[in-house]
Amino acid sequence: MKKIITLLSLILFSHLAFSQEYYEIRTYQMKFRGNVSAVEKYLSNALIPALNRYGVSKVGVFKDLGKPEPAILVVSIPFASLESYAGYKAALEKDEVYLQASKSYFDMVGLDKPLFEKISTYLAKGFKGHPAFTLPIKNEGRIYEWRTYESYNEDALRRKIAMFDDSELQVFENVGLHRVFFGEVLAGENTPCLTYMVSFENMAERDKNWAKFSADPEWKRISNDPKYANSHSRTVRRFLEPTAYSQW
């Protein structure tokens, strides 16, 4: 009996250790000279604490490093399971602390200067090769590179994800493209696509390590493998910096 219990415990631990997370990645696209501070107050004082109470331990909030106008805010929310993602909005509606903290934000509806143009959202599932997001070793002063790879069709996306899982993720690790999260986009704009984020201390480290990636023999090998040909049609890239209240 003890052996059976031990075996079941190992199976459960293995399942938990390698469970693929789900990510909601929001982009708040502000209006020209919009009220960014009101949205940030809502995120920092209402939404993030409520998500923490719900069991989401780390919420990332970022601004575009290039400081575009209109501004954007990117919010990355990791969920341990699809069930957790599906239930969080209902949980917020029952959270009295959240409802009170967000009242001024919701009361701004109908003012002459709307808070934002729209919210664009991705829902992504973690790769098997990188199932859960990884916090940078050093958070202070870091920059983040957020990339989305669009594919020609669903099979092309499947092959591109397989390319990452088979070898490309390890190349990232070897050359210092510090992995944060990788996800197959299940719903959102410009699908089929995948999305991921890597981090660096600064742009100098970023440029140096991407150059190492391009020269890496294993990358050259897999990028010339016929089974991965024509799997990636377009790259969308943003450079981000964390806000003062971001949790990573």
Side-chain angles (χ1 to χ4, degrees):
M1 178 61 73
K2 289 183 178 180
K3 289 183 178 180
I4 294 174
I5 293 174
T6 301
L7 179 59
L8 290 174
S9 298
L10 287 173
I11 293 172
L12 178 61
F13 175 79
S14 176
H15 173 74
L16 292 173
F18 297 100
S19 179
Q20 289 163 271
E21 289 182 332
Y22 289 81
Y23 307 104
E24 181 182 337
I25 308 165
R26 303 180 183 180
T27 301
Y28 288 78
Q29 300 181 16
M30 306 302 298
K31 284 187 171 292
F32 183 68
R33 294 180 179 174
N35 195 342
V36 179
S37 62
V39 178
E40 290 201 87
K41 183 178 179 181
Y42 163 71
L43 294 173
S44 60
N45 295 346
L47 182 62
I48 292 177
L51 286 169
N52 291 164
R53 289 191 295 274
Y54 179 66
V56 177
S57 60
K58 298 293 181 182
V59 180
V61 185
F62 310 90
K63 294 182 177 180
D64 193 300
L65 195 62
K67 295 178 174 56
E69 184 62 54
I72 67 159
L73 287 169
V74 176
V75 182
S76 180
I77 311 170
F79 293 92
S81 67
L82 192 57
E83 291 76 14
S84 177
Y85 166 76
Y88 88 93
K89 290 184 179 179
L92 293 183
E93 291 176 0
K94 299 176 182 178
D95 187 331
E96 293 298 332
V97 177
Y98 165 77
L99 294 175
Q100 183 61 38
S102 59
K103 188 176 185 303
S104 61
Y105 168 78
F106 290 124
D107 285 349
M108 290 183 181
V109 173
L111 298 181
D112 292 338
K113 293 184 178 181
L115 292 177
F116 49 80
E117 187 70 42
K118 63 178 180 178
I119 303 173
S120 300
T121 303
Y122 281 139
L123 173 63
K125 180 181 181 180
F127 287 3
K128 291 180 180 178
H130 193 100
F133 92 108
T134 306
L135 287 174
I137 295 174
K138 178 183 177 183
N139 291 338
E140 294 182 2
R142 297 198 71 82
I143 62 169
Y144 294 82
E145 185 170 352
W146 176 31
R147 288 192 174 201
T148 299
Y149 288 174
E150 299 172 14
S151 291
Y152 296 100
N153 55 37
E154 293 86 346
D155 180 66
L157 177 64
R158 178 192 62 77
R159 290 185 291 108
K160 183 58 187 174
I161 293 173
M163 184 178 180
F164 271 105
D165 284 338
D166 289 351
S167 188
E168 191 171 352
L169 284 169
Q170 187 58 52
V171 178
F172 271 47
E173 191 71 17
N174 294 344
V175 303
L177 303 181
H178 308 297
R179 307 181 319 197
V180 180
F181 69 76
F182 289 78
E184 175 187 1
V185 175
L186 304 179
E189 298 178 315
N190 304 317
T191 55
C193 64
L194 63 86
T195 190
Y196 71 86
M197 195 177 286
V198 289
S199 73
F200 307 95
E201 289 189 17
N202 49 49
M203 288 299 291
E205 185 198 21
R206 181 262 174 200
D207 293 344
K208 180 184 70 174
N209 291 355
W210 272 113
K212 288 165 63 177
F213 175 83
S214 298
D216 186 88
E218 177 62 11
W219 162 245
K220 290 182 177 180
R221 182 191 69 79
I222 59 173
S223 62
N224 289 311
D225 191 324
K227 68 183 177 184
Y228 300 131
N230 300 317
S231 59
H232 172 203
S233 60
R234 179 171 176 259
T235 298
V236 179
R237 180 181 66 193
R238 283 191 182 275
F239 294 105
L240 304 173
E241 57 184 346
T243 62
Y245 55 90
S246 177
Q247 296 184 318
W248 51 279

